[in-house]
Amino acid sequence: MAEKCKIQERYIRNFNTFNEKEQKLLMKSHVSIIGLGGLGGGVCEMLARTGVGNLTLIDGDSFEKSNLNRQILSTENLIGKPKARAAADRVHAINSSIEVNQIIKYADDSNLYDLIKKSDLAVDCLDTIDSRFVLERAAKKADIPIVSGAIAGVAGQVIVFFPEDPGYELIYGKKSRNRSHGVETETGNISYCAMIVASIQASECIKILLGRGDILWKKMMIIDLWTNTFEVMKLRIENFIS
Amino acid sequence: MIKINLNFFVNLTRFLPSERNAFPVPGGTTVDMLMKDLKIPDNSVKLIFVNGKKQEKTYCLKHNDRLGLFPPVGGG
C-alpha cells in the first residue's frame, strides 16, 4: 500500500501515458549510460525522472570549462570533478530510491562487458566513433540492445541496434576505414541539439523497456536544426539478419 | 537531363548548388559521379539517402529523386 501511494504521488503526471504496471516495470529496469557529457547528462536526467529504477553511469572523464556550453550536469563548481559522480548525485537528488552504480572509468574492451552485462539496455552517449565499436562488442556479448545518439553542431542522429544487427558498421562503415571523430571536431556541439537528441534517446529507451511504440530499428532519425529537418531514414533491410 | 532534389547536412551544405531543388544531371549519373562533379571529398560523406532510404554511391539517380548526404557524426 505504501509503495502504491509513493508511486501514485511521484508519478501522477506520468499517468496515463504510462499505466501503473508500466511504471513498476520501469522501476525494475536497469539501464547503462555510457558517456555522461552532453547526451549522457540529458539521458540520465530524463530516465531518472521518468522512473527507471536502476542506472549504471559510466564515464572516466571530469568536467572542464569547455563543457559548460552544453553539458547539463556541468556547473562551475564541478570543474575538475568526475562526471559519473555528478551524474549519480543528480539522480539521487531527483529520486533517492534509484539504485545507482557510478563508474569513474573509461569504457574499454577489458571492462565494459562486466559493467553492462546486468543491464536491460545500453545507451550510447559516447564521443568517439572508436569507442562506439567497443560498446557494440560488449553489448552483443551481453545480448542487450543499444540506443545510440551522436551530434555535431546542431545536427544529430539516433538509431537502435539489437545484438543480432550488423551494428555501427552500417552507419560508420568498416571499422578499419573509420576516423575516430566525426565532423563535430569542425562544428563543435550546441546545447539544445544535445538535449533534443538526448530526449529522443530517452524516448527510445522507455519504448524498448515497455515494449511499446515504434522503435528506430532498421531506421535512423536524422535531425538538423538549421533547417528544422526531422527525418527517419530507412536502412537497407538486407543488412539485417531478421 | 533529369532533375533531382539535393539535401546536404552539417558541413556538407557548402557544396549545395544554387539550383538544389531541381538540380539537372545527365541520365545515368550515379551518386559517386555527382559527388565528383560537385567536388565533394569522398571521405566527407558517410551516409547516402535517396527518397529516405539508405543507398550506396553506385546508386543511379532517377528523375525527381531526393538525395540526402550526411557526414560522419560522432559527438556526444
Side-chain angles (χ1 to χ4, degrees):
Chain A
M1 187 65 185
E3 185 194 23
K4 185 178 173 71
C5 290
K6 199 172 159 186
I7 292 172
Q8 284 288 346
E9 196 174 1
R10 179 179 286 274
Y11 296 114
I12 192 164
R13 294 291 187 264
N14 280 5
F15 303 137
N16 292 312
T17 295
F18 310 135
N19 62 35
E20 195 174 312
K21 190 178 166 191
E22 288 172 326
Q23 196 66 59
K24 285 180 178 170
L25 179 57
L26 292 180
M27 290 168 72
K28 288 177 185 165
S29 298
H30 186 164
V31 174
S32 286
I33 304 172
I34 304 96
L36 295 164
L39 295 178
V43 172
C44 187
E45 174 91 13
M46 288 179 263
L47 292 187
R49 289 194 185 276
T50 308
V52 173
N54 300 272
L55 293 170
T56 292
L57 308 172
I58 305 169
D59 199 322
D61 201 9
S62 296
F63 288 117
E64 300 171 14
K65 285 181 182 172
S66 62
N67 300 148
L68 292 167
N69 81 316
R70 68 196 186 282
Q71 298 187 14
I72 194 169
L73 294 170
S74 67
T75 51
E76 289 182 359
N77 64 316
L78 291 180
I79 300 301
K81 300 287 192 298
K83 295 181 180 183
R85 187 168 302 152
D89 290 346
R90 179 66 183 170
V91 169
H92 278 144
I94 293 167
N95 184 345
S96 57
S97 67
I98 293 176
E99 291 283 336
V100 178
N101 188 18
Q102 58 168 297
I103 310 292
I104 308 174
K105 289 178 185 171
Y106 289 104
D108 60 36
D109 279 318
S110 72
N111 63 15
L112 192 51
Y113 165 72
D114 281 330
L115 295 175
I116 68 171
K117 65 184 179 187
K118 291 180 182 168
S119 308
D120 297 303
L121 64 86
V123 194
D124 165 17
C125 300
L126 290 156
D127 61 0
T128 69
I129 295 171
D130 283 346
S131 59
R132 294 172 197 268
F133 282 91
V134 172
L135 172 59
E136 180 182 318
R137 287 191 286 275
K140 280 180 185 284
K141 190 174 174 187
D143 199 28
I144 59 173
I146 298 171
V147 176
S148 175
I151 53 173
V154 294
Q157 63 191 40
V158 182
I159 186 169
V160 172
F161 294 118
F162 284 86
E164 64 275 18
D165 295 340
Y168 290 104
E169 188 176 306
L170 211 56
I171 53 173
Y172 292 120
K174 296 276 184 195
K175 190 183 179 305
S176 58
R177 294 177 57 198
N178 279 328
R179 51 189 190 182
S180 188
H181 292 277
V183 292
E184 65 280 359
T185 53
E186 184 182 330
T187 60
N189 289 310
I190 305 300
S191 64
Y192 49 84
C193 183
M195 292 304 284
I196 205 164
V197 170
S199 297
I200 304 294
Q201 287 183 278
S203 169
E204 293 302 294
C205 290
I206 298 301
K207 288 187 285 183
I208 292 169
L209 293 172
L210 297 181
R212 275 182 64 180
D214 289 332
I215 295 168
L216 290 166
W217 181 46
K218 301 185 180 184
K219 49 197 174 185
M220 184 168 86
M221 178 177 280
I222 286 177
I223 296 165
D224 186 331
L225 299 176
W226 285 129
T227 54
N228 289 323
T229 300
F230 290 79
E231 284 205 60
V232 176
M233 306 292 193
K234 289 181 187 168
L235 301 176
R236 292 159 72 96
I237 300 299
E238 58 265 36
N239 292 131
F240 291 85
I241 293 165
S242 57
Chain B
M1 297 291 268
I2 59 169
K3 290 190 175 177
I4 57 171
N5 175 278
L6 302 176
N7 200 8
F8 300 167
F9 294 92
V10 201
N11 59 342
L12 299 177
T13 54
R14 63 177 178 257
F15 297 106
L16 272 174
S18 53
E19 326 95 292
R20 52 167 292 194
N21 292 321
F23 187 68
V25 295
T29 300
T30 63
V31 174
D32 198 27
M33 291 159 69
L34 178 71
M35 283 174 56
K36 282 187 174 66
D37 284 348
L38 295 176
K39 298 186 170 34
I40 302 173
D42 193 52
N43 63 357
S44 64
V45 174
K46 196 52 85 175
L47 291 168
I48 297 163
F49 294 102
V50 179
N51 305 325
K53 190 175 178 186
K54 186 175 182 284
Q55 296 291 355
E56 303 298 325
K57 285 178 183 169
T58 52
Y59 176 86
C60 188
L61 293 159
K62 297 175 185 64
H63 187 58
N64 284 335
D65 270 352
R66 196 165 56 93
L67 172 67
L69 300 181
F70 206 75
V73 168

